[in-house]
Amino acid sequence: MATVGKNILDNLTTGMYSDSKVIYREYIQNACDQIDKAIKYGLLQENEGLVDIYIDRKERYISITDNATGVKEDSFVSDLGDIANSNKQRGEDKGFRGIGRLCGLAYCKTLKFCTSYFGEAVKSVMVCNAKKMREMLAEDKKYTLDEIWSEIVSFETYPEELSKHYFEVELIDINKENTELLDDAKVRDYLHFVAPVPYKNTFIFRNEIYKYADNIGYHIDEYSIKVNGADIYKEYTTRLKEPAGNSVKNYDEISKLAFQDFRDKSGNLLAWMWIGLSRFEKQIPKCNPMRGLRLRSANIQIGGDNALKDLFKEQRGNYYFVGEVFAVSKLLIPNSQRDYFNENETRLEFENGLKSYFYSELHKLYYDANKMKNAYKKQEAYVAQVEEFEKKSKAGGFIDDTERQRMQFDIEKARKGADEARKQLEKYNSLKADSPLAEIHKSIEQKYNVGDLVSRAQETELSADTEEKKNVYITSGMSKLSRSERKLVSRILSVITDIAPKDIAEKIIERIKEEFK
């Protein structure tokens, strides 16, 4: 028989995860599997299952407890003591490799498992000396896996009430370098999108998601999870925010959801997704924790918010969207680190389906949204130039004939741009009302509502003879100056407008008008 060395234990603990908060996901995953079994056996009713996380920063202590089946006394040593020898079923259970419970060994001095099975008056306890394990792994000495395991693990039993059924994980004396695990606010932020929890009830589209899932026969696994008494929900919202000084402000809004299925060659459902439709003003800033398309298996997030970025035509496309992709096929198997799926033919079909949709549809959504916005901005620019011309005409605001003619030229150029933009926008009017692009067009049109202004601008008579010439120029009102002085001031004002920023130039000119009127 080959010898299994100590490094395998190092790989399964300290070397497995780059983010220590992953331990919460692993222990929640195990708890949810047992809650499913408790419901199946009639021990719990639907919605009675609970995963309760308690964090004591001062004592550097964490416990993760569920009220599920617990583990029988006669199988406790083998179930907990064996490594990578799980009884769970691949494709059925959320966890199945038998290594997730070891993750806590990397982050504390003592890892402890306590459990009681319903109907047994016994509390079974497994204590792991995690500190000693890491010391043995660091020694310049060869140890076998069995040698380390037998040295650091002990089992005990205690009396317990017959009616009790639970499983508790305790991480005692968290390492100083892993203090982040004790920050309950950061832990909640992490679990909001990683854990299999319900959508927050203020997310107005949550019922649409549930309805769609029901229609395709998919059950979204959701569990009650608490951190120091606070319920955890998926923190989706319709508002998109951007930084504004030391705060944030709303800049866009999700107005509707779109859904899409992905099937294999035989028509079997591989995955499905929902996305939020907005005006796609920009890549969603980092201050929006829900940004990016999230990949989920059994409603547990796979990888981070960028797990699907490589399937976009351009990687940045991922951050124009808010949404979730739910893996359905049992052959889409999360890898050991749960940051993506194992390589197989089903994964290839899954990727090809998503890539085709992302290239042909999602890319088009934010690309066309940008074209729509630019078209409306051209119309706004035309209206703004017409209004400025009218204002100067009526208030005697032109410096000289050159400025007046230049503005007329710019208006004509803007008018042509606005006409082209209007023709470009007309093609979006023929879209099906329920199409995602039609919804985006509607949302953008509501923001850039310039219809009345454009109509008025088109009717404006842009003639040099609209006003009496004496009322047209700034210097006309400078009664203190002679004709030659006015010409000189006019030249000076022209220089100011050429070299100074518009707002500064306007202030200077206004001050000069006041001085010489």
Side-chain angles (χ1 to χ4, degrees), residues 429-445:
N429 294 328
S430 60
L431 293 168
K432 292 182 178 179
D434 60 347
S435 70
L437 202 55
E439 176 64 25
I440 295 168
H441 182 214
K442 176 183 174 183
S443 183
I444 292 174
E445 193 175 36

Side-chain angles (χ1 to χ4, degrees), residues 189 193 235 285-292 294 305:
D189 288 344
F193 295 100
E235 294 285 333
K286 289 183 179 180
C287 60
N288 297 271
M290 64 182 182
R291 74 176 191 149
R294 311 294 179 117
D305 60 16

Side-chain angles (χ1 to χ4, degrees), residues 143-351:
Y143 288 106
T144 66
L145 174 61
D146 287 342
E147 286 173 337
I148 293 181
W149 205 239
S150 62
E151 187 70 25
I152 71 167
V153 174
S154 63
F155 296 92
E156 300 170 336
T157 58
Y158 301 91
E160 184 58 279
E161 296 177 28
L162 278 171
S163 61
K164 295 284 188 179
H165 52 96
Y166 60 85
F167 191 95
E168 180 181 25
V169 181
E170 294 180 276
L171 289 87
I172 302 167
D173 202 353
I174 298 296
N175 303 333
K176 289 183 179 179
E177 62 269 26
N178 302 120
T179 297
E180 186 178 51
L181 291 174
L182 300 168
D183 189 328
D184 57 348
K186 287 185 177 180
V187 172
R188 286 194 295 270
D189 288 344
Y190 171 77
L191 294 178
H192 284 318
F193 295 100
V194 171
V197 293
Y199 298 96
K200 198 170 185 179
N201 59 13
T202 53
F203 184 50
I204 62 174
F205 297 114
R206 69 189 188 284
N207 288 332
E208 290 185 28
I209 297 172
Y210 294 138
K211 183 178 179 181
Y212 187 86
D214 287 342
N215 288 341
I216 61 173
Y218 181 81
H219 175 71
I220 301 177
D221 294 335
E222 294 178 340
Y223 303 86
S224 176
I225 298 175
K226 296 178 182 289
V227 175
N228 284 357
D231 290 306
I232 302 298
Y233 298 99
K234 289 182 185 175
E235 294 285 333
Y236 284 102
T237 175
T238 59
R239 305 284 180 158
L240 298 176
K241 302 179 182 298
E242 63 182 351
N246 296 324
S247 184
V248 293
K249 66 177 181 179
N250 298 329
Y251 76 92
D252 202 347
E253 184 173 8
I254 295 172
S255 59
K256 192 176 181 180
L257 299 189
F259 297 88
Q260 181 68 26
D261 294 346
F262 303 94
R263 299 181 180 272
D264 63 17
K265 296 175 183 177
S266 301
N268 300 310
L269 187 64
L270 293 173
W272 65 278
M273 70 178 294
W274 66 265
I275 59 169
L277 301 178
S278 65
R279 293 189 300 270
F280 297 104
E281 296 280 0
K282 63 177 79 173
Q283 279 192 52
I284 301 172
K286 289 183 179 180
C287 60
N288 297 271
M290 64 182 182
R291 74 176 191 149
L293 289 186
R294 311 294 179 117
L295 178 59
R296 308 189 77 83
S297 177
N299 201 22
I300 299 174
Q301 184 171 291
I302 299 293
D305 60 16
N306 62 353
L308 297 171
K309 64 179 175 61
D310 291 335
L311 302 183
F312 280 85
K313 189 172 185 179
E314 46 191 10
Q315 290 186 352
R316 70 188 182 93
N318 180 61
Y319 291 120
Y320 277 93
F321 294 94
V322 169
E324 296 176 306
V325 176
F326 289 86
V328 176
S329 173
K330 295 178 180 179
L331 296 177
L332 290 172
I333 303 168
N335 61 28
S336 59
Q337 294 183 324
R338 292 189 69 88
D339 58 7
Y340 203 55
F341 299 127
N342 287 343
E343 290 186 11
N344 58 30
E345 186 176 346
T346 302
R347 191 187 93 171
L348 183 61
E349 282 190 282
F350 166 79
E351 289 180 337

Side-chain angles (χ1 to χ4, degrees), residues 12 79 82-86 88 95-102:
L12 295 177
D79 284 357
D82 287 359
I83 297 175
N85 190 28
S86 175
K88 294 183 178 182
F96 54 85
R97 290 187 171 88
I99 60 175
R101 68 183 181 280
L102 304 178

Side-chain angles (χ1 to χ4, degrees), residues 48 55 123 230 312 426 430 442 455:
E48 284 185 344
I55 301 172
K123 173 182 179 180
F312 280 85
E426 285 175 357
S430 60
K442 176 183 174 183
S455 297

Side-chain angles (χ1 to χ4, degrees), residues 63-167:
S63 74
I64 304 167
T65 308
D66 66 65
N67 62 345
T69 60
V71 179
K72 292 181 178 180
E73 180 190 9
D74 61 5
S75 61
F76 179 73
V77 173
S78 60
D79 284 357
L80 274 291
D82 287 359
I83 297 175
N85 190 28
S86 175
N87 294 321
K88 294 183 178 182
Q89 299 298 310
R90 185 185 294 256
E92 296 290 339
D93 294 298
K94 297 170 179 60
F96 54 85
R97 290 187 171 88
I99 60 175
R101 68 183 181 280
L102 304 178
C103 62
L105 290 168
Y107 307 110
C108 61
K109 291 185 172 59
T110 303
L111 178 64
K112 188 175 180 181
F113 302 102
C114 307
T115 187
S116 183
Y117 193 79
F118 181 77
E120 294 186 347
V122 178
K123 173 182 179 180
S124 302
V125 178
M126 173 180 171
V127 179
C128 305
N129 189 332
K131 181 175 181 292
K132 187 169 187 178
M133 180 204 74
R134 294 194 299 275
E135 289 172 349
M136 294 178 75
L137 291 176
E139 285 183 35
D140 187 17
K141 180 180 178 180
K142 285 189 175 181
Y143 288 106
T144 66
L145 174 61
D146 287 342
E147 286 173 337
I148 293 181
W149 205 239
S150 62
E151 187 70 25
I152 71 167
V153 174
S154 63
F155 296 92
E156 300 170 336
T157 58
Y158 301 91
E160 184 58 279
E161 296 177 28
L162 278 171
S163 61
K164 295 284 188 179
H165 52 96
Y166 60 85
F167 191 95

Side-chain angles (χ1 to χ4, degrees), residues 300-469:
I300 299 174
Q301 184 171 291
I302 299 293
D305 60 16
N306 62 353
L308 297 171
K309 64 179 175 61
D310 291 335
L311 302 183
F312 280 85
K313 189 172 185 179
E314 46 191 10
Q315 290 186 352
R316 70 188 182 93
N318 180 61
Y319 291 120
Y320 277 93
F321 294 94
V322 169
E324 296 176 306
V325 176
F326 289 86
V328 176
S329 173
K330 295 178 180 179
L331 296 177
L332 290 172
I333 303 168
N335 61 28
S336 59
Q337 294 183 324
R338 292 189 69 88
D339 58 7
Y340 203 55
F341 299 127
N342 287 343
E343 290 186 11
N344 58 30
E345 186 176 346
T346 302
R347 191 187 93 171
L348 183 61
E349 282 190 282
F350 166 79
E351 289 180 337
N352 287 340
L354 264 67
K355 186 177 288 187
S356 175
Y357 181 68
F358 289 6
Y359 270 53
S360 62
E361 298 298 329
L362 297 195
H363 179 78
K364 182 178 176 62
L365 289 184
Y366 68 84
Y367 184 77
D368 275 24
N370 190 54
K371 290 200 296 185
M372 291 177 198
K373 287 177 287 189
N374 287 336
Y376 279 115
K377 286 176 182 177
K378 286 181 180 179
Q379 292 188 337
E380 279 189 327
Y382 172 48
V383 171
Q385 289 192 37
V386 169
E387 289 187 327
E388 186 178 2
F389 185 91
E390 289 180 325
K391 180 181 177 181
K392 289 196 172 189
S393 293
K394 293 175 180 178
F398 293 111
I399 293 172
D400 52 25
D401 278 336
T402 301
E403 185 191 23
R404 181 185 174 93
Q405 292 168 5
R406 177 179 56 77
M407 287 192 70
Q408 287 179 304
F409 175 82
D410 289 343
I411 286 172
E412 179 60 20
K413 183 178 178 181
R415 184 190 63 76
K416 291 179 180 179
D419 287 344
E420 292 174 3
R422 189 162 47 255
K423 292 175 183 177
Q424 191 177 48
L425 288 168
E426 285 175 357
K427 69 178 183 179
Y428 296 112
N429 294 328
S430 60
L431 293 168
K432 292 182 178 179
D434 60 347
S435 70
L437 202 55
E439 176 64 25
I440 295 168
H441 182 214
K442 176 183 174 183
S443 183
I444 292 174
E445 193 175 36
Q446 287 175 348
K447 177 182 178 180
Y448 297 92
N449 187 15
V450 294
D452 293 340
L453 291 174
V454 170
S455 297
R456 187 169 65 79
Q458 289 173 328
E459 296 170 359
T460 301
E461 189 71 34
L462 302 179
S463 170
D465 298 323
T466 301
E467 301 289 340
E468 291 293 330
K469 212 164 188 180

